[in-house]
Amino acid sequence: MVSLTPVNTSDVDVRGLERWLRETIAGTVGFDAGSRALYSMDASNYRRRPLGVVLPRDVDDVVATVAACREFGVPVVPRGGGTSIAGNATGEGVVIDTSRHLTRILQLDPDRRVARVQPGVVLDDLRAAAARYGLTFGPDPSTRSRCTLGGMIGNNACGSHSVAWGTTADNVEELDVLLYDGTRLRVGPVPRAELDRLAARPGRAGQVYAALRDLAYRNLAVIRQELGRFGRQVSGYGLHHLLPEHGHHVARALVGTEGTCVTVLEATVRLVEAPRARALLVLGFADDVAAARAVPELLPLRPLTVEGIDDLLVEALLARGRRPGVALPDGRGWLFVEVGGDSPEEAVDRARQITAALGRQGSALVVSDPAEQRALWRIREEGAGLATRMADGSEAWPGWEDAAVPPERLGDYLRDFKALLARHGRRGVTYGHFGEGCVHVRIDFDLITPAGVAGFRRFLEEAADLVVRYGGSLSGEHGDGQARAELLPRMYSRDVIELFERFKAIWDPDDRMNPGVVVRPHQVDDHLRFAAVGRGPRTVFAYPDDGGDFAAAMRRCVGVGKCRDAHPPGGVMCPSYQVTREEKHSTRGRAHLLYEMLAGDLVTAGWRSPEVREALDLCLACKGCKSDCPVNVDMATYKAEFLHHHYAGRVRPLSHYSMGWLPVWARLASVAPGLVNAVTGRPALARVVKRLGGVAPERDIPRFADQPFTRWFRRRPAPAPAGRTVLLWPDTFTNHLDPGVGRAAVAVLEDAGFRVVLPERPVCCGLTWVSTGQLGIARRVMRRTLDTLGPVLDAGVPVVGLEPSCTALFRSDLPELLPGDARARALAERTYTFAGFLAEHAPDWAPPRLDRPAITQVHCHQHAVLGTAAEEELLRRAGVANQRLDSGCCGLAGDFGFERGHYEVSMALAERVLLPTVRAADPGTLVLADGFSCRTQIAQGAGRRALHLAEALALGLGR
């Protein structure tokens, strides 16, 4: 056994190390509390506070950082996308995050089918580059839109296609690695003669090769007996790759070492031919155990994937208001079997052949449409997030996340595993790579109370013994980390455990590379992040889905990092990260900072925290995470809550007084709108107004309407008595800034046979006070509004909103800010979007024919809270060939884009898709945007007027 001196970071000259790094490297050095808090957690149950964080700008920065750590005796913790669930991307040393800058694909050779990449390359970016040549990188974990190649190499990641293309280790050809002592090596397969030659070289490189040769050849029998027994045996180190029959492949032996041996600087990986067409066969079974037992029949038919899900995962999806988009076959357990072909017809034929071979017809579905396939795959790919909150809202966690057994034994193992869950009184949501015998499961562990933690340990010990009885591996994909490494002696003999220690010592004799992971590990119940925070502080929002507990709301973020997707297809989350690519501007980063604020030992100022305020400054409050995050983190709400407490009794930013109080200023401006517009229209005066109001100097101040919508409505000729009554909500934006939208809505609603009324007195939803965290004022405004609307609500009159953000507030925020007020619930239930109201209350009304193409920018709050199905259908019935832009947030986001200091980010978001598309659109194409901020961004950025849906339909009425 190797004996090493443990690291004591309390003796480190931290300030000296920080100073050394700042003077040496070009990248970002963060030793402040905020930077450390951002990297204290990954996607696991664990929390460890790093000494500091480095975002190297190039390979030289990595080398210099490791040299500095060596000089000061500090551990190094390599990190990729931070999506590991094993606890191997956190540590007490210096975290090196390569995902920010080391993102270059250095070479892609389609003839040799290899690519040379830096460790921070995101998998989907490599796959997109390879796809131009009909190639792909085989391993594809569900986090592929944000996981990095370096992280995949660290964990030996696999994904759904490992059935066909193997693990990451199977697809790595060479690695350029850096040892803690500064030695740099390029490693790969080594013929025996070359191995002997390298072992004879003088210096550190020769010592490494000699030690590797001796370790392999002196332990051939035990390595062959215990390692490399089946494809998903990921636990421990892959020492079998050092054997002669595997070509003494040093690079593959280092894959899966979880940052404990070397720092990866560059990788050469193998690419495979991608099928030209794919079909998805979905098979339904009585339960997931029956589905698992069918796997051995499928594997000889050479599918590309065989994935399994259970009914609890589907229930969790439905509980969030999401539907699969394609009806699943009957059953309570399903297999997703993907096959390929040279054409869609060939792929579908292969899927049907499998169905026939299995003798299954009624409980099988063949899906050939790519969009429908993506909809079904999203169920499986978002499993890690979805399963964290069960259908009844209870919390579930990783811990026993990805054990694997030989596929032919999966059914019996899964049966016994479920019995183990029952004996412990636990529930688990199961899904995973059934074709490789790998099962993911999120379990409702109690990780907060001492008794619960003790039960957690007992469960893991028994689960480890169970998987070993079935000849399996504690980890089948994510590595051992802190989550399982303590249990490795239950799986391996003492001889193999000692070989792991010797292997690490060859590379890292001083145990400074990610210590406490795999070898001499921390215990499975040490450093649990939940122990840091009890019940949260008193809040203004009710958080009904979190038991009224702000701490429970912060536990929603489990770190899977979907918010770090820089190109989210069809989604919004997370706009600021899409521009800055900084962890603190991701939903995950902000959630982790808020959690650390509650913990109080890194972020120590509580609600007054400057670290949290800075991270939230670029949050657009778009609510994209409320719908796009698998666990429905609602950062817009958390931001409003934080700002309320942060500025309680203090002077606020100028924008809170100007734009936060916009409804008041708008009403005052309506007395003399011409005078106000004349002032704000003069450059010199406008500069003063912007400076006093905290408005970005680059912005044009919107003009106030000559006549508010409510005044026009009161003065217009009374219409003939019509049918059912509907109340049209006169939001501030429609009423004072764009009243044409209100006039158009009245025309359309009356054409549809309704009697339109407005509130009897001036009203406001309180949106601008909510978004600036002035929640006390917002609640008073809301109560006055409910007093005004009382008779309307009592009469059951529906309410139609035109501004999506105001409509979404009634649906979502209002009941959470006034949880005991029955009128708030009634208003939430009776509030409709313009199109949603017509769809439900006037289904037979024929909209006017427009027969024109259109492009539509969907407001973020509509995307997150309200949905767009009714709008799409209404446009279709009006003869509009509509293209919904996959543009995410417009970048203006209410007051965000107008605030000083936000203009650059605001416009960068708009320039990604929205503004270039609008500029390129034909003059005859309608540009539609229901949100006032979206229309304003289009007008100021592209010089084109966008229309509200009501205005577009009114055109067809000749209004």
Side-chain angles (χ1 to χ4, degrees), residues 11-78:
D11 296 335
V12 173
D13 178 7
V14 178
R15 297 281 75 82
L17 173 60
E18 179 184 4
R19 185 167 54 252
W20 181 306
L21 286 168
R22 291 191 185 279
E23 293 173 353
T24 305
I25 73 168
T28 302
V29 177
F31 278 67
D32 58 286
S35 297
R36 296 170 64 208
L38 284 168
Y39 287 85
S40 65
M41 294 179 278
D42 51 14
S44 72
N45 295 329
Y46 301 100
R47 171 180 177 264
R48 289 190 285 167
R49 294 167 293 176
L51 281 182
V53 179
V54 170
L55 278 61
R57 191 163 291 278
D58 52 29
V59 168
D60 289 341
D61 274 1
V62 179
V63 175
T65 299
V66 173
C69 290
R70 181 171 66 251
E71 179 70 21
F72 286 82
V74 171
V76 169
V77 182

Side-chain angles (χ1 to χ4, degrees), residues 321-395:
R322 308 179 198 173
R323 305 200 68 81
V326 180
L328 294 169
D330 292 339
R332 299 185 64 186
W334 295 269
L335 291 180
F336 287 17
V337 184
E338 187 181 73
V339 294
D342 288 335
S343 67
E345 294 76 17
E346 181 182 342
V348 168
D349 186 57
R350 284 204 61 205
R352 288 174 176 158
Q353 289 174 17
I354 292 176
T355 305
L358 295 178
R360 302 178 64 85
Q361 298 295 335
S363 57
L365 171 70
V366 177
V367 181
S368 58
D369 179 75
E372 293 183 350
Q373 290 183 43
R374 284 194 298 272
L376 288 167
W377 276 123
R378 272 196 293 272
I379 305 173
R380 166 60 191 88
E381 291 171 355
E382 295 187 4
L386 290 171
T388 302
R389 289 291 172 113
M390 294 185 172
D392 63 1
S394 57
E395 298 172 311

Side-chain angles (χ1 to χ4, degrees), residues 672-720:
L675 176 60
V676 174
N677 291 334
V679 170
T680 59
R682 293 177 178 268
L685 294 176
R687 283 195 294 272
V688 174
V689 171
K690 292 175 190 177
R691 189 177 305 115
L692 293 175
V695 176
E698 301 90 343
R699 286 289 178 188
D700 294 330
I701 297 176
R703 293 177 61 82
F704 288 96
D706 294 335
Q707 183 185 50
F709 165 64
T710 50
R711 191 177 303 164
W712 168 86
F713 188 86
R714 289 196 304 270
R715 294 177 178 179
R716 74 180 187 134

Side-chain angles (χ1 to χ4, degrees), residues 161-501:
H161 286 89
S162 62
V163 170
W165 296 319
T167 68
T168 297
D170 298 322
N171 291 274
V172 165
E173 299 298 338
E174 288 186 341
L175 295 176
D176 182 0
V177 299
L178 175 69
L179 281 61
Y180 187 81
D181 64 14
T183 303
R184 189 167 171 178
L185 298 173
R186 181 171 289 276
V187 298
V190 187
R192 176 57 195 263
E194 178 67 6
L195 179 60
D196 291 337
R197 188 188 70 79
L198 292 171
R201 290 172 55 187
R204 184 75 171 98
Q207 294 172 5
V208 168
Y209 279 106
L212 292 174
R213 179 191 60 189
D214 292 348
L215 183 146
Y217 277 90
R218 291 176 182 176
N219 299 278
L220 291 172
V222 69
I223 293 175
R224 284 170 175 155
Q225 181 178 358
E226 295 195 39
L227 296 168
R229 292 177 291 107
F230 70 106
R232 285 300 187 104
Q233 187 179 349
V234 170
S235 276
Y237 292 147
L239 304 185
H240 56 289
H241 292 294
L242 297 175
L243 298 177
E245 57 265 33
H246 296 299
H248 312 105
H249 208 307
V250 179
R252 292 181 181 176
L254 285 171
V255 174
T257 55
E258 306 182 40
T260 63
C261 295
V262 299
T263 300
V264 175
L265 303 177
E266 183 184 300
T268 301
V269 297
R270 184 176 68 190
L271 304 174
V272 297
E273 184 177 1
R276 293 175 181 165
R278 304 179 193 229
L280 180 62
L281 170 62
V282 184
L283 301 170
F285 296 86
D287 55 27
D288 53 346
V289 174
R293 286 184 169 142
V295 167
E297 296 179 71
L298 285 164
L299 295 180
L301 303 174
R302 301 180 63 81
L304 295 174
T305 62
V306 182
E307 298 288 290
I309 63 172
D310 72 357
D311 57 324
L312 293 180
L313 185 63
V314 176
E315 287 177 10
L317 178 78
L318 296 175
R320 288 164 171 77
R322 308 179 198 173
R323 305 200 68 81
V326 180
L328 294 169
D330 292 339
R332 299 185 64 186
W334 295 269
L335 291 180
F336 287 17
V337 184
E338 187 181 73
V339 294
D342 288 335
S343 67
E345 294 76 17
E346 181 182 342
V348 168
D349 186 57
R350 284 204 61 205
R352 288 174 176 158
Q353 289 174 17
I354 292 176
T355 305
L358 295 178
R360 302 178 64 85
Q361 298 295 335
S363 57
L365 171 70
V366 177
V367 181
S368 58
D369 179 75
E372 293 183 350
Q373 290 183 43
R374 284 194 298 272
L376 288 167
W377 276 123
R378 272 196 293 272
I379 305 173
R380 166 60 191 88
E381 291 171 355
E382 295 187 4
L386 290 171
T388 302
R389 289 291 172 113
M390 294 185 172
D392 63 1
S394 57
E395 298 172 311
W397 307 108
W400 190 252
E401 172 65 23
D402 62 313
V405 298
E408 63 273 13
R409 308 193 71 182
L410 178 61
D412 290 344
Y413 163 73
L414 193 53
R415 175 202 61 204
D416 291 351
F417 178 75
K418 292 206 157 192
L420 176 66
L421 281 170
R423 287 199 302 275
H424 281 260
R426 294 290 166 212
R427 295 176 298 158
V429 181
T430 57
Y431 57 98
H433 313 293
F434 281 23
E436 292 263 275
C438 180
V439 179
H440 294 301
V441 59
R442 294 288 164 117
I443 300 171
D444 61 342
F445 293 121
D446 169 11
L447 298 178
I448 298 175
T449 68
V453 172
F456 169 68
R457 165 174 280 281
R458 287 194 299 273
F459 181 90
L460 294 188
E461 292 171 345
E462 292 182 36
D465 293 340
L466 175 64
V467 80
V468 169
R469 284 202 302 273
Y470 277 96
S473 176
L474 307 183
S475 172
E477 181 164 36
H478 292 292
D480 299 305
Q482 185 178 342
R484 287 172 287 269
E486 183 199 345
L487 306 171
L488 286 174
R490 293 174 178 267
M491 176 178 171
Y492 291 118
S493 67
R494 180 66 253 174
D495 289 342
V496 170
I497 296 297
E498 290 183 359
L499 287 178
F500 292 161
E501 294 177 355

Side-chain angles (χ1 to χ4, degrees), residues 725-730 749 757 759 785 789 792-793 796-802 806-807 810-811 826-834 836-837 841:
T725 299
V726 57
L727 185 140
L728 186 62
W729 179 256
L749 290 170
V757 298
T785 291
L789 296 183
V792 173
L793 296 174
V797 174
V799 177
V800 171
L802 297 174
C806 300
T807 310
F810 282 154
R811 287 273 192 91
L827 181 54
E829 292 168 358
R830 291 173 195 160
T831 297
Y832 294 85
T833 64
F834 179 71
F837 173 78
H841 290 271

